[in-house]
Amino acid sequence: MTTATVASPVPPALVQGLSTTPAAQPPPGQPDIAYHPDWQKYQARVARRTKTEDLPTTLPEGFPKELKGDLVWDGKTLAQKYDWTYVLSADQLAEIDSAVVHFKSLNLPFGYIAQETFPLPTLHAELRRLSRELHFGHGFFVLRGLDVDRYTREENIIIYTGVSSHIGSVRGRQDAYHKGKRADVVIGHVKDVRSNLGEKRDKEQIKIGTPAYTADKQVFHTDSGDIVSLFALSTAAEGGASRLASTWRVYNHLAAERPNLIHTLSETWTAELFTKTVDDKDRYMSRPLLYYTPASADGKTPDRALLQYGRRYYVGFGELPRSRHLPPITEAQAEALDALHFLGERFGVSTNFEKGDMQYVNNVAILHSRDGFIDSEDKQRHLLRLWLRDPENAWETPAPLASRWDRVYGGVSVDLQTFPLEPHTRSESSPRTK
């Protein structure tokens, strides 16, 4: 049975000790807000705005007062009704071993990993059931039982990609360049790379602009695309807990207590786009963070709220600040960003992520974060990441998100799919071509 660890704010001393990246320099006119949320500043902003501004007391037209269903959960009680950990049996692990042998016998590039080339005759049905849990149930699950030390790095990537192809058959692009060349990078490494860059960092002027490449605490956010998945090759000596929170539970709280923030989140924001695109031209995108889709006429899909945002797009991180040519965010937007994070901490849960675990999350319905961590010489946190889509169960993509989704899924080539074996930084961290 899954044991819940209720998410609670990390003690301030630990936040300071494990959040070591200097704050990004804000653009002119930006509110007093940084990547790492400050509870006192947040409370002061709430008090100031509620006292001095005429804030809406009703929801935007069409938005529901309350969302219902399994996706509405609270971390304090979730484990009492939902066991999110699926432990692979010995027979299922043997089936995975056979699939690895089969794929390797084909002598194909990794881009050809699919349900057909990585066959799982009996496990397939369970993975399809779990995909439905992502889209119509509680929105996340963890696969447990794989012994990563039995396999090479290449084999672990084959296993992770192969198993994932039965959950979401479409892989998303996390970067359009690798080592300066055009590539559809579909697997990412989440690791503190700062200590490994050495002379390369100085020579190539690599910039750290995302907490994924540091040991810093990572605030609640979403990635891009429908499903975000992480595979733990190894865990940290201390800290690094993976935390999740229900967007729908956060929505219900805001709808009841602060409907003005539903207005703010559903209005247009200007987001910085740090990652290079295929043509390396797009620098920003204007769209809402929060979307609502009503229930279908046939009753097959319920009311749905979708949230897609990353805090660093609006406040910057480390050596990649928000650009001066973009308008600063507003005080209302600053409050909304903090509200999402602190409500995530209030309602969130730790998944007790272990070495060998594969975690799958409905990216538009579940917020995720991680605690800061400390690596040692023999224990270093290292995760692999996939962005996936299941054409059978995928939610309808809101029109304003279509271009963002196209950056992830559009035109991903089987032959250009790239699976870096070692940790690296995305092209956004390299000097831009002028």
Side-chain angles (χ1 to χ4, degrees):
M1 179 67 181
T2 295
T3 301
T5 302
V6 177
S8 59
V10 178
L14 193 57
V15 171
Q16 293 171 6
L18 298 183
S19 299
T20 59
T21 304
Q25 292 300 309
Q30 184 88 335
D32 184 12
I33 184 173
Y35 176 80
H36 292 292
D38 185 303
W39 176 257
Q40 282 72 33
K41 291 181 180 179
Y42 167 55
Q43 290 298 293
R45 180 172 283 115
V46 171
R48 183 170 61 250
R49 295 194 67 233
T50 53
K51 182 178 180 179
T52 63
E53 298 183 34
D54 183 17
L55 303 176
T57 57
T58 59
L59 292 166
E61 184 177 356
F63 278 73
K65 292 183 178 179
E66 182 181 17
L67 293 164
K68 298 180 179 181
D70 287 341
L71 269 172
V72 181
W73 50 259
D74 190 319
K76 294 183 179 67
T77 57
L78 179 61
Q80 299 172 16
K81 59 182 179 180
Y82 177 50
D83 185 356
W84 59 78
T85 304
Y86 184 97
V87 181
L88 296 165
S89 69
D91 288 343
Q92 291 169 335
L93 291 169
E95 194 167 272
I96 290 172
D97 280 344
S98 296
V100 174
V101 172
H102 176 73
F103 179 78
K104 291 174 70 174
S105 73
L106 300 176
N107 293 317
L108 292 171
F110 286 8
Y112 287 84
I113 297 174
Q115 295 178 22
E116 297 74 21
T117 59
F118 194 89
L120 298 172
T122 59
L123 182 55
H124 171 81
E126 284 296 278
L127 297 178
R128 296 308 300 146
R129 179 186 66 81
L130 289 168
S131 179
R132 287 193 59 81
E133 182 65 43
L134 286 180
H135 296 87
F136 301 98
H138 295 85
F140 75 98
F141 64 89
V142 173
L143 293 180
R144 179 164 294 166
L146 193 74
D147 182 0
V148 296
D149 293 332
R150 290 185 58 230
Y151 306 98
T152 65
R153 177 65 55 78
E154 292 89 341
E155 288 169 339
N156 274 313
I157 288 178
I158 291 171
I159 290 170
Y160 179 39
T161 308
V163 168
S164 298
S165 70
H166 293 261
I167 297 165
S169 59
V170 179
R171 289 186 285 274
R173 177 192 296 112
Q174 298 183 42
D175 200 353
Y177 295 87
H178 183 58
K179 295 182 177 180
K181 296 181 180 179
R182 175 72 180 87
D184 289 333
V185 181
V186 295
I187 202 160
H189 293 255
V190 180
K191 191 178 188 297
D192 181 5
V193 302
R194 291 176 297 186
S195 61
N196 299 326
L197 291 175
E199 295 180 0
K200 181 179 179 181
R201 176 176 168 81
D202 296 330
K203 183 178 179 180
E204 298 185 7
Q205 299 178 335
I206 294 173
K207 298 178 179 180
I208 300 298
T210 171
Y213 302 140
T214 74
D216 283 18
K217 175 184 174 69
Q218 198 166 17
V219 303
F220 276 98
H221 66 286
T222 72
D223 284 10
S224 295
D226 295 337
I227 302 169
V228 57
S229 173
L230 295 171
F231 177 29
L233 294 178
S234 56
T235 54
E238 180 183 345
S242 174
R243 301 186 183 274
L244 305 177
S246 163
T247 292
W248 288 21
R249 180 66 184 88
V250 170
Y251 174 91
N252 285 349
H253 178 88
L254 291 176
E257 303 293 335
R258 294 299 305 279
N260 62 292
L261 293 183
I262 300 296
H263 282 268
T264 300
L265 291 167
S266 60
E267 293 168 352
T268 299
W269 296 49
T270 301
E272 182 95 7
L273 298 181
F274 295 108
T275 305
K276 294 180 181 180
T277 57
V278 172
D279 56 12
D280 195 24
K281 292 181 179 178
D282 295 339
R283 291 289 183 268
Y284 68 93
M285 180 178 293
S286 295
R287 56 172 178 78
L289 275 59
L290 177 69
Y291 306 85
Y292 167 68
T293 58
S296 61
D298 59 12
K300 292 183 179 180
T301 58
D303 290 353
R304 284 173 171 166
L306 298 84
L307 182 73
Q308 201 279 319
Y309 85 106
R311 187 178 175 104
R312 72 187 186 100
Y313 301 152
Y314 306 100
V315 301
F317 180 86
E319 295 170 282
L320 290 181
R322 183 174 172 88
S323 297
R324 298 173 67 88
H325 71 275
L326 295 180
I329 65 172
T330 65
E331 286 289 325
Q333 290 173 332
E335 184 193 346
L337 288 176
D338 280 349
L340 290 175
H341 174 74
F342 287 116
L343 288 173
E345 290 197 328
R346 176 175 174 179
F347 298 125
V349 68
S350 169
T351 60
N352 301 309
F353 212 29
E354 298 179 1
K355 182 177 179 178
D357 284 359
M358 298 181 191
Q359 177 177 280
Y360 296 85
V361 175
N362 182 329
N363 185 58
V364 292
I366 303 292
L367 299 164
H368 64 275
S369 72
R370 68 121 193 272
D371 292 351
F373 62 91
I374 297 173
D375 282 338
S376 64
E377 186 172 341
D378 59 345
K379 292 201 69 176
Q380 298 184 10
R381 191 177 192 271
H382 186 181
L383 311 182
L384 299 179
R385 180 180 60 207
L386 286 168
W387 292 344
L388 305 167
R389 181 177 177 85
D390 179 0
E392 179 183 352
N393 293 319
W395 292 9
E396 181 180 355
T397 303
L401 277 181
S403 62
R404 179 65 179 169
W405 260 227
D406 187 62
R407 285 164 56 94
V408 176
Y409 299 115
V412 175
S413 165
V414 171
D415 294 316
L416 274 181
Q417 284 188 39
T418 302
F419 300 74
L421 298 181
E422 299 299 331
H424 66 290
T425 56
R426 285 187 288 191
S427 57
E428 66 194 51
S429 298
S430 302
R432 289 194 179 276
T433 302
K434 295 182 179 181

